[in-house]
Amino acid sequence: MSDLMDTVLIERTRSFIPDGNVEQKRMFGGTCFMVNGNMLVCVSKRGLMARVGKDQEAAALSKPHASQCRPTGRPMPGFIRIEPDGIETDEDLKDWVEMARTYVCALPPKAAKPKKTRTGKAAR
């Protein structure tokens, strides 16, 4: 996927996340969207990583172009990797974002971590 296609996918994904408490961060080699501090989806050149939770994992894996997320060789329970072909249409992308929102929006908000200074110590 080219840089332009990556940027377009980020914009398409953002359009399906209307929550005001959404944060965008660079993580996992891509752009992650966080809701209340919890990762929702991550867009990268490899496609989409969606946090769907363990209860929806089997249903998610039954969809075309979906596989278990294994960034280090070990599975990440509740996280699904979707190939670029699986998110070509807005309808497909929206379905994945909605599946992730169902799980992530039910999670309690994460407390903000204190920012570190240049010396590596937490700021007071």
Side-chain angles (χ1 to χ4, degrees):
M1 186 181 305
S2 71
D3 288 341
L4 176 60
M5 289 174 66
D6 193 32
T7 302
V8 169
L9 181 56
I10 290 167
E11 293 302 319
R12 285 177 55 217
T13 303
R14 184 183 296 124
S15 73
F16 297 122
I17 308 172
D19 298 311
N21 49 354
V22 173
E23 184 181 359
Q24 198 172 315
K25 283 185 174 182
R26 294 285 304 164
M27 290 172 46
F28 299 114
T31 299
C32 290
F33 291 92
M34 318 286 281
V35 175
N36 293 322
N38 295 298
M39 192 194 102
L40 179 70
V41 294
C42 184
V43 176
S44 73
K45 291 181 190 314
R46 295 178 306 275
L48 186 77
M49 180 170 63
R51 186 176 185 187
V52 300
K54 292 179 188 177
D55 291 345
Q56 296 185 99
E57 189 170 1
L61 289 171
S62 71
K63 292 184 173 199
H65 309 289
S67 61
Q68 196 168 44
C69 192
R70 297 173 175 263
T72 62
R74 285 202 233 153
M76 287 177 63
F79 288 83
I80 302 297
R81 182 173 179 268
I82 303 98
E83 299 287 334
D85 288 345
I87 51 175
E88 269 186 359
T89 69
D90 283 347
E91 185 178 319
D92 288 338
L93 179 58
K94 183 178 181 180
D95 287 347
W96 283 110
V97 170
E98 287 301 315
M99 183 181 271
R101 282 173 46 107
T102 298
Y103 175 71
V104 173
C105 289
L107 296 173
K110 279 196 175 177
K113 292 182 180 178
K115 298 207 181 229
K116 291 185 179 180
T117 62
R118 289 182 185 217
T119 61
K121 296 179 183 177
R124 294 182 188 203

